[in-house]
Amino acid sequence: MNITDSIVVISTDDESTAFLRFAKESLEVLISTPEGTAPLDRNFGLDQSFLSLPPETAKTLFAQELIEKAEIYIPEISVTEVESQVDSNGNIQPIITVCRNMEYEELEDDEDLSTEEDSYYYDDQDPDADNFIEGDEDI
């Protein structure tokens, strides 16, 4: 049993085409990545062990895993429902209903995230900066 490469994403609201495209692409990446294979975050992706189970059990575990992981890794969307169809070859065809997560707050581009410690380390008024001589290895 496998998950098909093409998923169907449905919106519960009248969301923009850009939002639906973002949701579909993000969910496709999450679904197609086996858990443990992403180098910087081994928890990213889905645990693929459900694929060896009977179809009805696999569909239930797939839906549960997808909802949990989407909440963590794609906080902009909320997965409200996951239905799956199993084709004659035993492949799962997911039909995922999503909506915009209204609790998710994007950071504004102009929002300053610096701290007092940052100004200490990145201060343009570094007194030693003027004394640096290129090629001086002792500094």
Side-chain angles (χ1 to χ4, degrees):
M1 180 179 305
N2 289 316
I3 302 170
T4 59
D5 293 334
S6 176
I7 65 171
V8 177
V9 176
I10 302 168
S11 174
T12 57
D13 303 324
D14 291 330
E15 296 292 348
S16 68
T17 305
F19 174 77
L20 286 174
R21 187 178 323 113
F22 166 77
K24 184 176 190 313
E25 290 172 358
S26 300
L27 288 167
E28 284 175 342
V29 169
L30 183 62
I31 291 169
S32 66
T33 305
E35 185 179 53
T37 61
L40 298 177
D41 188 351
R42 297 293 181 189
N43 291 321
F44 182 82
L46 300 184
D47 179 6
Q48 304 288 315
S49 63
F50 64 84
L51 293 174
S52 62
L53 299 172
E56 290 306 312
T57 306
K59 287 172 21 177
T60 302
L61 292 176
F62 166 73
Q64 179 183 359
E65 178 89 358
L66 180 63
I67 290 169
E68 289 174 5
K69 293 293 179 93
E71 186 177 318
I72 296 168
Y73 293 105
I74 317 169
E76 299 89 345
I77 68 171
S78 180
V79 176
T80 57
E81 185 177 4
V82 179
E83 293 182 18
S84 300
Q85 299 174 349
V86 179
D87 65 16
S88 59
N89 296 328
N91 295 322
I92 296 175
Q93 170 67 48
I95 302 167
I96 304 163
T97 306
V98 299
C99 66
R100 189 178 303 272
N101 183 358
M102 299 313 246
E103 295 176 8
Y104 176 75
E105 295 180 23
E106 280 189 56
L107 294 176
E108 296 294 326
D109 289 337
D110 58 347
E111 188 172 337
D112 185 14
L113 300 176
S114 61
T115 64
E116 287 182 31
E117 188 174 90
D118 291 339
S119 62
Y120 172 78
Y121 288 110
Y122 302 108
D123 191 4
D124 290 335
Q125 304 301 322
D126 185 2
D128 295 330
D130 295 334
N131 299 330
F132 179 73
I133 300 171
E134 191 171 322
D136 188 358
E137 308 302 332
D138 296 330
I139 296 180

